[in-house]
Amino acid sequence: MAAVEANLAGIRLRNPFLLASGIWGESGESLRGAYEAGAGGVVTKSIGAVPRDGYPNPTVETFESWGMLNAMGLPNPGIVEYPQEVARARAAGVPVIGSVFAGDADGFADVGRRMESTGVLALELNLSCPHAKGLGSEVGSDPGEVERVVRAVVRAVKIPVLAKLTPNTADVVALGLAAERGGAAGVSAINTLRAMSIDVTLRRPVLANGLGGLSGAAVKPVGLAVVWQLFDALTVPIVGIGGIRTVDDSIAYALAGARAVEVGTAVAFGGVGVFGELSRGLPGRLDELGFRSWEDAVGAAHAGRSRPTSSVPS
Ligand SMILES: Cc1cc2nc3c(=O)[nH]c(=O)nc-3n(C[C@H](O)[C@H](O)[C@H](O)COP(=O)(O)O)c2cc1C
């Protein structure tokens, strides 16, 4: 049977499937539930310095066959209340990656340091939420700012730092290279794509915030392209995210260059049982495809191609 362990910036995972940030990660119990269902590890919901209510409803619109639109507005209990949830998950042996957000480098360093002290194995910096004023992609669309934020956090903590990048940019590779220069141990991609929907009867946007972020099956080709481009340009490991629902989806991300993958919308639609399906199905499928291990599949679609290539042909 093919080996499915993954090594992400020195963190050993029993399999490459991580719970994505913002889905099912509210409590220690829910993080633990994802792990017990078969995930290799979990990413917490994004936590800031102080509690935040998020946006009023409606915050989500679902399209079961192809995706989900959300503008939650980063609701979270704040870093003072959250450590007990991480502690519960860590006590159950769950590998936890702590996701944090802030408005600038000092804010990220502060909340990152406090998240580190909860016992998480790594940090994931949310530089990519597409709908929160002054936060997320508003910070993470500028390579200079990405480098500053990552450098400040790397100096403030001892654990590996992953930068979660936005696809809402003309040049995601520039953001990835900036994260690498800042000292990131890896990058995660993608967060949601800026998107919206309009109710024609009401003549109004469906989401209370107007703009939101698109996730799920519809964004898988975008996520794959981003991982593909990052793999060509970066040396640090990449966590692939976007529209993963099946074992073959995850292997496609590995072939594009992802060392681990996160699963979000598929969990929102189908519950954490999806991690059981993925973790049970992966070894046999890797065997069928002729891979001895998950690690062997990482980047394999690039074999024989000269690297690096510039961006998309016109
Ligand atoms: C309801 C919802 C809430 C989310 N909240 C966060 C969040 O707090 N922090 C973050 O980095 N990403 C957040 N995301 C983005 C996901 O982690 C993931 O990057 C994105 O949904 C693409 O993966 P998917 O297609 O598997 O859902 C959220 C996504 C959804 C659908």
Side-chain angles (χ1 to χ4, degrees):
M1 272 289 203
V4 297
E5 291 80 24
N7 184 335
L8 178 61
I11 302 165
R12 301 179 71 78
L13 301 168
R14 64 183 181 182
N15 67 51
F17 303 112
L18 298 165
L19 177 70
S21 181
I23 294 117
W24 214 278
E26 287 74 18
S27 70
E29 280 312 302
S30 59
L31 293 172
R32 178 180 166 174
Y35 185 66
E36 286 175 354
V42 300
V43 183
T44 69
K45 119 192 236 77
S46 290
I47 303 296
V50 292
R52 242 176 98 97
D53 286 339
Y55 297 136
N57 286 323
T59 52
V60 175
E61 189 182 13
T62 55
F63 312 89
E64 289 260 344
S65 57
W66 54 268
M68 175 186 279
L69 201 54
N70 93 83
M72 309 293 293
L74 292 172
N76 79 95
I79 194 67
V80 175
E81 293 297 320
Y82 199 68
Q84 60 207 28
E85 306 303 338
V86 177
R88 275 191 197 116
R90 293 291 296 137
V94 183
V96 183
I97 296 174
S99 171
V100 293
F101 71 91
D104 60 21
D106 287 346
F108 266 102
D110 175 51
V111 73
R113 200 181 297 116
R114 289 152 80 185
M115 181 60 98
E116 179 186 39
S117 69
T118 68
V120 296
L121 303 182
L123 296 178
E124 184 178 81
L125 311 183
N126 182 349
L127 290 159
S128 41
C129 177
H131 49 69
K133 250 241 113 7
L135 302 167
S137 61
E138 288 194 15
V139 183
S141 303
D142 170 10
E145 197 55 24
V146 168
E147 186 176 342
R148 269 190 293 283
V149 166
V150 172
R151 181 165 290 122
V153 181
V154 166
R155 284 191 178 142
V157 302
K158 295 193 179 62
I159 52 178
V161 175
L162 309 172
K164 185 167 178 183
L165 306 177
T166 177
N168 300 306
T169 173
D171 191 355
V172 73
V173 169
L175 300 178
L177 289 170
E180 202 171 68
R181 279 195 304 276
V187 296
S188 308
I190 56 176
N191 208 315
T192 53
L193 284 157
R194 188 180 302 112
M196 75 180 301
S197 139
I198 290 189
D199 185 315
V200 294
T201 319
L202 298 176
R203 305 183 192 185
R204 288 284 179 276
V206 172
L207 300 178
N209 186 58
L211 296 175
L214 183 66
S215 61
V219 308
K220 188 180 80 174
V222 180
L224 281 172
V226 168
V227 170
W228 175 270
Q229 287 182 289
L230 291 172
F231 186 83
D232 272 342
L234 305 190
T235 56
V236 295
I238 303 159
V239 183
I241 320 171
I244 295 168
R245 167 68 189 83
T246 67
V247 169
D248 275 15
D249 295 336
S250 71
I251 294 175
Y253 269 92
L255 296 172
R259 263 181 199 280
V261 293
E262 294 180 23
V263 184
T265 299
V267 173
F269 284 156
V272 287
V274 69
F275 286 116
E277 275 174 50
L278 291 169
S279 57
R280 281 193 300 273
L282 183 62
R285 187 62 178 141
L286 285 171
D287 281 341
E288 274 171 25
L289 295 170
F291 291 107
R292 277 171 305 143
S293 67
W294 168 263
E295 297 277 337
D296 275 357
V298 174
H302 296 256
R305 292 178 62 259
S306 59
R307 297 199 286 144
T309 53
S310 61
S311 49
V312 187
S314 47

